[in-house]
Amino acid sequence: MKRVQEQCFRIYRSTKILLLLMGITILYILAGKFGLSFAFDNPSASPIWAPTGIAIAAVIIFGKRVLPAIFLGAFLVNLTTAGTIFTSLSIAVGNTLEAALAAYLINRFAEGVSAFSRIANIFKFTLFILIATTISANIGVLTLVLANLASWDTFFSVWLTWWLGDVGGGLIVAPFILVWWIHPKLPIHIMHGLHFLLCLLGFYLVTEIIFQGIIPYPYLYIPLAIWVAFWFGRRGATTTTVIIALITITYTLSDKGPFIQDTLNASLVQLQIFLTTFSLSALIFSILILELRRGEKMIASHEQRFKTLIEKSSDAIFLVDATSKILYAGPSVKRLLGYEPSELEGTTGFNLVAPEDKKMTIRVLAEIVLKPGGAQTVEARLIRKDKRIIWVEATGTNLLLDSTINAVIVNFHDITEKKLSHDQMLTEKMEDEAMLTSIGEGILATDEAGKITMINQAACDNLGWHEKELIGKSVIETIPMVDDAGKRIPSEERPLTKVLTLKKKIVRSHGTNYMRKDGSVFPVHITINPITLDELTVGTIEVFYDITKEKEIDKAKSEFVSVASHQLRTPLATINWYLEELLRKGNNLDEKQKKYFNEVYLASKRMIALVNSLLNVSRIELGTFIVEPKPTDLGKLIDQIMKDLTSQTDKKNITIQKTYQPNLPLFSVDPKLFTIIMQNLLSNALKYSKIEGTIDVKIFYNNNEFLLSVSDNGYGIPKKQQDKIFTKLFRADNARTVAPEGSGLGLYIVKQIVNATGGKIWFTSTENKGTLFSVAFPIAGMQQKKGEKLLR
């Protein structure tokens, strides 16, 4: 079905093109036969060669596809009138090339069918016709001479006759066809009909006056052409030209009128000059009138738009003169000021301005008046009719030199709520700034790139910078952060970088020190939160404070604990020695006494373990403990530690499974410190395992690190308390229930030892299912550290 439709469309299109070509050919033949018959009857005359205008108009309208029709028409006209096949073909080629060149130039440079919409295009059209018609004249006359139908002696006169005829067709017939082609509809109006009748009467009267010799001046037609052009535009102008051409040619051929010369050819040359001039004048008049009407419509349109804009604008609008006298008030004035527009027109605009702003508005109006076309915007207070004062934003534009307005346009709108909100925001901002200034902690905010957008005075005081020196600067580049050893912390390890990357809050108080502008360093406790907007991190807010005093107190406390613990160890050791002697030699003790002495002995041992732990903690926090690594067989060392815990494993019937990577090399560790790590991990696993539980101990290594893990299937660590498991003196709720006697120092000590020796420790745990602790050290082993005391 679709193919049938396409075939039908192609047939219809082909038929339509064929009919077009046939129509143009027939029209060309009819016009050509009439023109050639006239030429042969008057061989020295130069008539208006209508086919030339038809051909040029056809190619402009329909394009080059009609050139075959023009060629065929020209060939048949010449062949059936006079001449041979050769002369007919040659003249047909000249006529076709003439139409093709004229149409190309007009379409390319003079807007084609719209050539008669601008005056400049009319002159281009005329020039292109004068140029193109020389082709047909050159080829045609040369053909006639070569075919012995004309002589070389008459070449110029024949050529001039031919050329003038084609020019007449191009400048009179072609414009008539083109204008009516793009404007085919006639205006239907009673005034148009009346003027049409008056024009016919005018043609008759002017023709009689000119050709009866009353006033033999053909340019009397010009006022009539202006009249026609005014009422009927370009169609009237081209039609008038054709009508006048028919009238004047008829009278001139009858040997009447102002164009009569010694010869008919000279008479027609004079007529041709007149008709060409008249045609161009009539067209130019019509286009001038068209442009005037366009200008009037544009002005009327602008005026209507301006009026509509004023009447429908939500802004209130005044037109004032240079003294602020109100010439016009828009309808919106009533809504904003409570006045009817008529109440304000003729009054002075400054009377509406609050006294506080009157001087300022007078100055601004003076500045606007002195600058034609200039504009200014101000905020001012106006007094409403009900005496209420409102804030407005007003823009004045100087159009005093614009003849259509001749005033200063003042448009304004109510910004009272905006102004009050702004004032309130300023007040709140001042309050916020005062609050931030009074806060003792340093506060700074950054954007998503880590650049400072806000910083309070406390932060500036702590860092030794002025606010203006830090705003817009990168925190990481401007405020260095160092660890406790004085080593600068890399940007990727900075808490700020991690917050921007991970989008999570970070709190840090250990090993974090800020460097002041003068290079001095102070320890800080920092809390950094991401600022999130629609799930996108747009910045951070950091709160920090100097913890120098806290660290000094902690150091003093650690020193006190160290001294106190050291002093406690001597009497405890003495007590423990005497108890051991009593139990060993106490044969005279009964069972009850032995039981009591055993309880005291166990309590003494727990006390010594606690004192040792306190000593270790104080030495760790003071940084005075020694790390002395040496090559160690980890498998044997761990086996020995587990052997020392045999009594505990037997008591709960716990199975320990060992998985050691084959061929373990010696590993550089401090045996005492590694023993403390393993004793704590294993004793915890035993303590918090269920009866008949299982503990797995694994050792692996690769090219980068040694890995050690201890896992159990015991009570596990509650999820909500896992983040505190390495905190000093902390014990989970279920741990205190299972083993009340624990100190909460073991894992803290393990964590500090691992960190201090270059390792890392982590864990995974599920409550009531068990816990897995993992420890990793670089393949090079523990880092050596000089100190004063050994951990026990």
Side-chain angles (χ1 to χ4, degrees):
M1 185 65 182
K2 185 176 180 181
R3 293 182 62 184
V4 173
Q5 289 177 343
E6 292 177 352
Q7 189 67 26
C8 291
F9 176 75
R10 281 196 290 269
I11 294 172
Y12 165 75
R13 184 179 178 186
S14 301
T15 304
K16 185 177 178 182
I17 294 173
L18 182 62
L19 290 173
L20 171 66
L21 296 177
M22 289 177 60
I24 292 174
T25 302
I26 293 169
L27 183 61
Y28 192 98
I29 291 172
L30 292 175
K33 292 290 286 183
F34 175 79
L36 282 179
S37 64
F38 175 83
F40 282 111
D41 292 339
N42 305 277
S44 63
S46 59
I48 296 172
W49 183 241
T52 298
I54 294 171
I56 293 172
V59 180
I60 290 174
I61 294 171
F62 300 109
K64 60 185 179 181
R65 62 183 176 179
V66 301
L67 290 175
I70 294 170
F71 175 81
L72 180 61
F75 172 74
L76 293 175
V77 166
N78 286 279
L79 183 65
T80 57
T81 304
T84 64
I85 293 177
F86 167 73
T87 58
S88 299
L89 287 172
S90 180
I91 293 171
V93 168
N95 292 339
T96 305
L97 291 176
E98 171 187 72
L101 178 60
Y104 169 77
L105 292 173
I106 292 166
N107 280 326
R108 178 71 175 80
F109 300 106
E111 300 185 29
V113 292
S114 301
F116 306 106
S117 60
R118 300 174 186 273
I119 293 176
N121 288 339
I122 291 177
F123 292 108
K124 292 178 184 177
F125 183 91
T126 303
L127 176 63
F128 298 152
I129 292 295
L130 294 174
I131 293 172
T133 49
T134 60
I135 294 177
S136 179
N138 289 335
I139 294 175
V141 176
L142 186 61
T143 300
L144 293 177
V145 171
L146 293 176
N148 295 319
L149 296 175
S151 65
W152 287 106
D153 295 337
T154 61
F155 184 91
F156 178 73
S157 61
V158 175
W159 183 92
L160 183 63
T161 300
W162 193 306
W163 179 67
L164 286 174
D166 283 3
V167 169
L171 294 180
I172 296 173
V173 178
F176 173 77
I177 295 173
L178 292 174
V179 168
W180 279 95
W181 177 261
I182 60 175
H183 298 289
K185 291 184 180 180
L186 288 169
I188 302 174
H189 193 276
I190 188 168
M191 290 301 295
H192 287 96
L194 177 61
H195 280 279
F196 177 72
L197 295 176
L198 291 174
C199 285
L200 291 178
L201 179 60
F203 273 122
Y204 173 76
L205 293 175
V206 172
T207 301
E208 287 296 313
I209 291 171
I210 294 172
F211 289 96
Q212 294 301 327
I214 300 173
I215 304 177
Y217 187 65
Y219 290 96
L220 288 176
Y221 281 118
I222 296 294
L224 187 63
I226 295 174
W227 185 13
V228 173
F230 181 80
W231 280 100
F232 299 101
R234 291 165 291 176
R235 289 173 297 183
T238 55
T239 305
T240 300
T241 302
V242 171
I243 293 172
I244 290 176
L246 293 173
I247 292 172
T248 54
I249 289 172
T250 302
Y251 274 103
T252 302
L253 293 176
S254 301
D255 202 27
K256 293 181 180 180
F259 304 108
I260 300 302
Q261 302 292 323
D262 295 337
T263 64
L264 179 60
N265 186 61
S267 299
L268 289 175
V269 168
Q270 292 293 322
L271 174 61
Q272 182 69 54
I273 294 171
F274 164 73
L275 290 176
T276 301
T277 304
F278 181 84
S279 174
L280 293 175
S281 300
L283 277 171
I284 290 171
F285 285 140
S286 66
I287 293 174
L288 283 173
I289 292 168
L290 176 65
E291 290 183 350
L292 286 172
R293 286 177 174 169
R294 284 175 181 166
E296 290 174 355
K297 288 181 180 178
M298 189 175 294
I299 291 172
S301 174
H302 287 334
E303 289 177 348
Q304 183 60 38
R305 278 162 141 192
F306 183 68
K307 184 177 179 182
T308 303
L309 178 66
I310 290 177
E311 291 180 351
K312 293 188 176 182
S313 174
S314 59
D315 285 7
I317 295 178
F318 284 153
L319 298 185
V320 302
D321 63 13
T323 65
S324 103
K325 182 181 178 180
I326 299 174
L327 306 175
Y328 170 82
S332 297
V333 167
K334 179 173 176 59
R335 177 174 55 81
L336 263 69
L337 299 178
Y339 290 98
E340 294 290 343
S342 58
E343 294 180 81
L344 295 176
E345 291 173 0
T347 64
T348 301
F350 291 134
N351 293 338
L352 298 172
V353 181
E356 298 89 342
D357 296 331
K358 188 169 291 188
K359 185 176 180 181
M360 179 269 295
T361 54
I362 292 173
R363 176 180 55 78
V364 171
L365 179 62
E367 292 174 358
I368 293 173
V369 169
L370 293 173
K371 189 176 181 181
Q376 282 201 45
T377 300
V378 296
E379 293 180 358
R381 284 161 285 193
L382 298 185
I383 304 172
R384 286 173 46 90
K385 188 175 182 179
D386 58 9
K387 305 304 179 185
R388 185 163 60 88
I389 294 178
I390 63 170
W391 277 95
V392 299
E393 183 180 68
T395 300
T397 305
N398 183 349
L399 297 179
L400 289 167
L401 299 183
D402 189 323
S403 58
T404 60
I405 298 176
N406 193 28
V408 174
I409 299 179
V410 180
N411 64 291
F412 56 93
H413 56 275
D414 191 343
I415 59 168
T416 304
E417 291 186 8
K418 177 183 174 182
K419 191 72 175 176
L420 293 175
S421 298
H422 182 259
D423 291 344
Q424 184 177 357
M425 287 176 60
L426 286 176
T427 302
E428 291 176 354
K429 182 180 178 182
M430 291 174 64
E431 292 175 351
D432 291 343
E433 289 177 351
M435 181 178 65
L436 288 173
T437 302
S438 64
I439 292 176
E441 287 81 5
I443 300 175
L444 62 86
T446 74
D447 60 15
E448 69 279 6
K451 293 183 178 179
I452 299 171
T453 57
M454 185 279 295
I455 185 166
N456 72 342
Q457 190 59 44
C460 292
D461 293 341
N462 278 322
L463 297 169
W465 292 86
H466 292 293
E467 180 183 3
K468 62 182 180 181
E469 296 177 305
L470 293 176
I471 295 297
K473 300 292 184 62
S474 169
V475 172
I476 292 174
E477 294 176 1
T478 311
I479 309 174
M481 182 177 282
V482 299
D483 57 22
D484 288 338
K487 184 179 178 182
R488 187 160 182 165
I489 298 175
S491 60
E492 63 272 13
E493 296 296 326
R494 292 279 293 262
L496 176 64
T497 305
K498 293 183 178 180
V499 170
L500 289 171
T501 304
L502 303 176
K503 302 178 183 179
K504 292 182 179 179
K505 173 183 176 181
I506 286 182
V507 179
R508 184 177 292 182
S509 59
H510 298 290
T512 306
N513 305 272
Y514 270 145
M515 183 179 290
R516 297 187 180 92
K517 184 180 180 181
D518 61 7
S520 60
V521 173
F522 65 100
V524 292
H525 178 283
I526 61 173
T527 302
I528 306 179
N529 281 287
I531 301 173
T532 306
L533 182 63
D534 294 332
E535 299 184 358
L536 182 68
T537 300
V538 297
T540 65
I541 187 76
E542 175 180 335
V543 179
F544 70 90
Y545 57 90
D546 187 343
I547 59 171
T548 302
K549 292 183 178 179
E550 287 86 340
K551 291 199 73 172
E552 289 174 352
I553 293 171
D554 283 343
K555 183 178 180 181
K557 181 174 63 176
S558 297
E559 290 175 346
F560 170 76
V561 170
S562 177
V563 172
S565 300
H566 185 71
Q567 295 298 323
L568 285 171
R569 287 188 78 252
T570 301
L572 285 173
T574 303
I575 293 171
N576 204 37
W577 184 82
Y578 280 115
L579 287 171
E580 287 177 354
E581 285 296 310
L582 285 171
L583 287 172
R584 184 169 60 84
K585 298 179 180 181
N587 296 326
N588 297 325
L589 297 175
D590 58 27
E591 291 301 320
K592 193 172 185 180
Q593 289 172 330
K594 287 182 180 181
K595 180 180 178 183
Y596 290 156
F597 275 116
N598 272 320
E599 291 294 332
V600 174
Y601 177 68
L602 292 174
S604 176
K605 287 186 68 175
R606 287 196 297 272
M607 182 64 74
I608 290 174
L610 177 58
V611 168
N612 285 335
S613 296
L614 290 173
L615 276 172
N616 287 340
V617 168
S618 65
R619 289 169 181 173
I620 288 172
E621 292 182 347
L622 290 172
T624 60
F625 71 98
I626 301 170
V627 181
E628 294 180 337
K630 61 182 180 180
T632 305
D633 186 333
L634 291 186
K636 290 183 178 180
L637 181 57
I638 294 173
D639 288 344
Q640 183 59 47
I641 295 170
M642 288 190 292
K643 184 176 179 182
D644 294 338
L645 297 172
T646 301
S647 60
Q648 295 184 40
T649 57
D650 293 344
K651 186 177 180 180
K652 298 179 72 172
N653 195 21
I654 290 175
T655 302
I656 296 181
Q657 297 178 348
K658 298 184 296 183
T659 305
Y660 299 164
Q661 186 168 330
N663 302 318
L664 280 174
L666 298 179
F667 184 48
S668 181
V669 297
D670 185 316
K672 292 182 178 179
L673 297 181
F674 191 80
T675 299
I676 293 174
I677 294 171
M678 285 304 302
Q679 281 179 339
N680 277 283
L681 294 180
L682 286 171
S683 63
N684 279 346
L686 289 168
K687 190 184 299 182
Y688 302 118
S689 289
K690 299 175 184 177
I691 296 174
E692 297 183 351
T694 301
I695 295 175
D696 290 323
V697 179
K698 298 179 181 179
I699 305 176
F700 294 93
Y701 74 97
N702 53 38
N703 293 332
N704 297 318
E705 57 188 4
F706 270 89
L707 297 167
L708 165 70
S709 67
V710 177
S711 63
D712 62 67
N713 55 3
Y715 296 99
I717 304 168
K719 187 174 181 180
K720 63 180 181 180
Q721 295 181 318
Q722 288 182 5
D723 60 338
K724 301 177 182 178
I725 200 66
F726 293 116
T727 305
K728 183 167 54 179
L729 300 176
F730 174 79
R731 300 190 67 216
D733 294 338
N734 56 353
R736 288 198 300 269
T737 302
V738 174
E741 70 279 0
S743 66
L745 295 174
L747 288 177
Y748 172 77
I749 293 172
V750 169
K751 173 74 170 174
Q752 299 305 314
I753 292 174
V754 171
N755 289 348
T757 54
K760 55 184 177 180
I761 182 171
W762 67 97
F763 71 94
T764 58
S765 181
T766 303
E767 194 170 2
N768 294 319
K769 290 188 177 181
T771 303
L772 167 65
F773 277 93
S774 300
V775 180
F777 285 100
I779 197 69
M782 288 185 173
Q783 297 175 359
Q784 187 174 4
K785 179 180 177 296
K786 294 181 179 181
E788 301 173 359
K789 304 288 184 180
L790 295 171
L791 297 186
R792 297 178 180 275

